[in-house]
Amino acid sequence: MKKMRRIITILVFCLSVTMPSIAQTNDNEIKQVIATKVAPPFVIKNEDGSFEGISIALWERIAELTATDYALTEASLVELVAGVENGRFDASVAALTVNAQRESVIDFTHPFYTTGLAIAVPSEGNRWMSAVKGFFSWEFLVALSALCGLLLAVGALLWLFERKRNAEMFGGSTQQGLGASFWWAAVTMTTVGYGDKAPVTFGGRVIGFIWMFAAIILISSFTAAIATSLTVSQLSSSVKGLEDLPNVRVGTLANSASSAFLQKENIGFKRLESVEEGLSQLASGKLDALVYDKPILQYLTKNNFGDSILILPEVIERQDYAIALPENSAQREKFNTALLRVIETDEWQEILDNYLGK
């Protein structure tokens, strides 16, 4: 009897020792490993080692809707894809672009954010001085000269009809007549219309009628041309767009969607470890252009580099961000459903506005 009690006591003791480890083992089996990579504002690493950002906020809500227990782990860009492919990670959540190369080895959820590649270039620090200099730029002078030439041509045509029958307004010497008609064309185009000068002949009124409607379109075109010349003049770099990249020092992240794009376009580039490194080299003059995802460039430039770097407005390649999953993942359907529910909410728009601005 005593022997039996001793055996029971030993069994109970063994069970009490092993149960916590068994529970921990089961817990580890349930918890999924989710890889992420710092890419502000989509993934931001805090001082305490925790993560936040647009992608993290999205994943937290998906995990809540799908009752997914998980642990976040930091990985490189290459590991985000390779780790999901070889089973090391259950998913990768970051600013991960969907492309054909990645799609061939892993699966993706529906895209949760659509953006594009952009070009960052050095910019003159003082925008006011840049604007003043813009008024003396070649582009601005060309636009202004073309406008004056057009006004003179329209005015001269009107003067030919009005110089005899409307001598009071458009008469006098040739110089006076052309000056008066030039003034009329200018005030008509700008819709100021003082009414001090007006055509009275049939031909003159036809010209005036046509000019009033044509000026609406023309003034918009010239305004855009002048605005463009002022914007371009703010650049201290020779890079104005994609066509200039083959002739300058370009940088981007290795194994990124932007590097694949540059290779496709046969544009040589310097491989960088991080966007911050590229922006620093851009600011210090070691690079002439940095190509990467536009919202990430905008966020980092705004918060860390101010007016020393300018993001060109042109979007040169569409990028869709999605969550990476193993190929033929059984979880893809439920994650897609949860993702669509999240991005349809007002809360999701508030998250985007909070990090990216309205």
Side-chain angles (χ1 to χ4, degrees), residues 76-356:
S76 67
L77 182 59
V78 175
E79 291 173 332
L80 290 181
V81 177
V84 171
E85 181 186 3
N86 61 31
R88 178 184 171 193
F89 304 135
D90 296 288
S92 288
V93 179
L96 195 59
T97 303
V98 180
N99 60 33
Q101 181 181 1
R102 293 169 180 170
E103 185 66 42
S104 65
V105 294
I106 60 174
D107 278 341
F108 286 94
T109 62
H110 292 312
F112 62 84
Y113 190 83
T114 297
T115 179
L117 297 180
I119 304 172
V121 297
S123 174
E124 295 181 0
N126 192 323
R127 294 293 180 85
W128 290 105
M129 288 301 297
S130 299
V132 172
K133 290 179 181 178
F135 285 103
F136 300 96
S137 67
W138 173 252
E139 292 83 0
F140 178 81
L141 293 176
V142 168
L144 186 61
S145 300
L147 177 60
C148 292
L150 180 62
L151 292 174
L152 184 60
V154 173
L157 189 61
L158 180 77
W159 175 71
L160 292 175
F161 285 97
E162 299 290 320
R163 58 179 176 164
K164 294 182 179 180
R165 292 187 55 187
N166 196 2
E168 183 179 349
M169 296 183 182
F170 299 98
S173 65
T174 301
Q175 184 177 357
Q176 291 174 329
L178 289 176
S181 58
F182 180 89
W183 171 257
W184 171 87
V187 297
T188 302
M189 183 186 69
T190 56
T191 67
V192 175
Y194 290 114
D196 57 337
K197 299 184 185 299
V200 296
T201 64
F202 176 77
R205 289 182 175 179
V206 169
I207 292 173
F209 181 80
I210 295 173
W211 178 238
M212 283 186 287
F213 285 95
I216 297 175
I217 301 174
L218 292 173
I219 192 64
S220 300
S221 301
F222 277 106
T223 300
I226 292 172
T228 299
S229 70
L230 293 178
T231 301
V232 169
S233 68
Q234 293 183 18
L235 304 179
S236 60
S237 169
S238 60
V239 180
K240 307 298 189 297
L242 178 62
E243 64 279 1
D244 298 318
L245 293 184
N247 304 315
V248 297
R249 298 168 298 172
V250 182
T252 194
L253 267 64
N255 301 304
S256 63
S258 51
S259 67
F261 170 78
L262 293 174
Q263 289 173 343
K264 181 182 69 174
E265 297 294 325
N266 294 319
I267 298 173
F269 60 92
K270 180 179 180 180
R271 290 167 172 78
L272 306 168
E273 294 298 323
S274 67
V275 182
E276 291 86 346
E277 177 191 356
L279 292 172
S280 296
Q281 293 192 19
L282 203 62
S284 63
K286 295 179 180 179
L287 285 177
D288 299 311
L290 177 66
V291 178
Y292 203 64
D293 301 19
K294 188 171 186 177
I296 297 177
L297 289 176
Q298 289 176 321
Y299 181 86
L300 291 174
T301 298
K302 176 183 177 182
N303 288 278
N304 302 319
F305 294 90
D307 291 337
S308 63
I309 292 176
L310 182 68
I311 311 300
L312 300 184
E314 180 186 10
V315 176
I316 57 177
E317 178 85 348
R318 171 174 166 161
Q319 303 288 301
D320 292 316
Y321 293 162
I323 298 173
L325 298 171
E327 200 163 18
N328 301 318
S329 172
Q331 301 185 101
R332 183 180 182 185
E333 188 64 31
K334 69 174 184 178
F335 284 164
N336 273 335
T337 302
L339 184 151
L340 293 174
R341 287 178 179 174
V342 173
I343 65 177
E344 289 172 357
T345 62
D346 293 335
E347 182 189 15
W348 174 247
Q349 188 59 52
E350 291 175 2
I351 291 171
L352 294 178
D353 291 343
N354 181 47
Y355 285 101
L356 300 174

